[in-house]
Amino acid sequence: GKHRIVIPCLGHFKEEYEKVSKLYMNNKIRTTKYTLLNFLPRNLFEQFHRVANLYFLFLVILNWIPLVEAFQKEITMLPLVAVLTIIAVKDGLEDYSKYKMDKQINNLLTKVYSR
């Protein structure tokens, strides 16, 4: 299987360390759920897993059918858009605070035991 190579003294083995370290992932902590590119699609995907949001989406779609239209189309969309926006802003702020905490933890100085 796979094994790990630890090179404790960088002074004499710097070239070997640089060659070997390219093969492995870093050990940074990442607890965030979103990136800038996937925030909107992933957040909407998660929000439409809730039954209430699907119900309001069903009402919006139903209201676009002229035979069934009960209210103005825009008025039916307001509750759904408001809830989706508020939850997206909340999720974004929570994820950003996680990002800041991860960045702070990843930049901490550590002590390494060496003989």
Side-chain angles (χ1 to χ4, degrees), residues 35-98:
T35 63
L36 287 175
L37 295 175
N38 74 1
F39 175 74
L40 190 60
R42 190 167 184 181
N43 188 270
L44 288 174
F45 178 76
E46 289 177 3
Q47 287 192 46
F48 282 117
H49 273 78
R50 297 183 180 122
V51 177
N53 291 344
L54 285 175
Y55 172 74
F56 282 110
L57 180 65
F58 174 72
L59 289 179
V60 168
I61 292 171
L62 198 61
N63 210 23
W64 281 87
I65 300 171
L67 295 173
V68 189
E69 184 178 346
F71 305 107
Q72 291 179 352
K73 296 172 184 146
E74 295 80 16
I75 292 176
T76 320
M77 292 174 59
L78 282 177
L80 180 64
V81 171
V83 167
L84 292 179
T85 303
I86 291 169
I87 293 175
V89 168
K90 177 192 69 85
D91 289 345
L93 291 175
E94 286 177 358
D95 210 56
Y96 182 68
S97 67
K98 288 180 185 179

Side-chain angles (χ1 to χ4, degrees), residues 12-56:
H12 303 293
F13 303 103
K14 188 171 177 86
E15 294 172 8
E16 185 178 349
Y17 170 76
E18 290 174 356
K19 183 174 71 172
V20 170
S21 65
K22 292 178 184 176
L23 303 173
Y24 298 101
M25 295 290 295
N26 59 21
N27 63 347
K28 290 186 178 184
I29 295 172
R30 183 175 180 263
T31 59
T32 56
K33 191 186 305 185
Y34 306 108
T35 63
L36 287 175
L37 295 175
N38 74 1
F39 175 74
L40 190 60
R42 190 167 184 181
N43 188 270
L44 288 174
F45 178 76
E46 289 177 3
Q47 287 192 46
F48 282 117
H49 273 78
R50 297 183 180 122
V51 177
N53 291 344
L54 285 175
Y55 172 74
F56 282 110

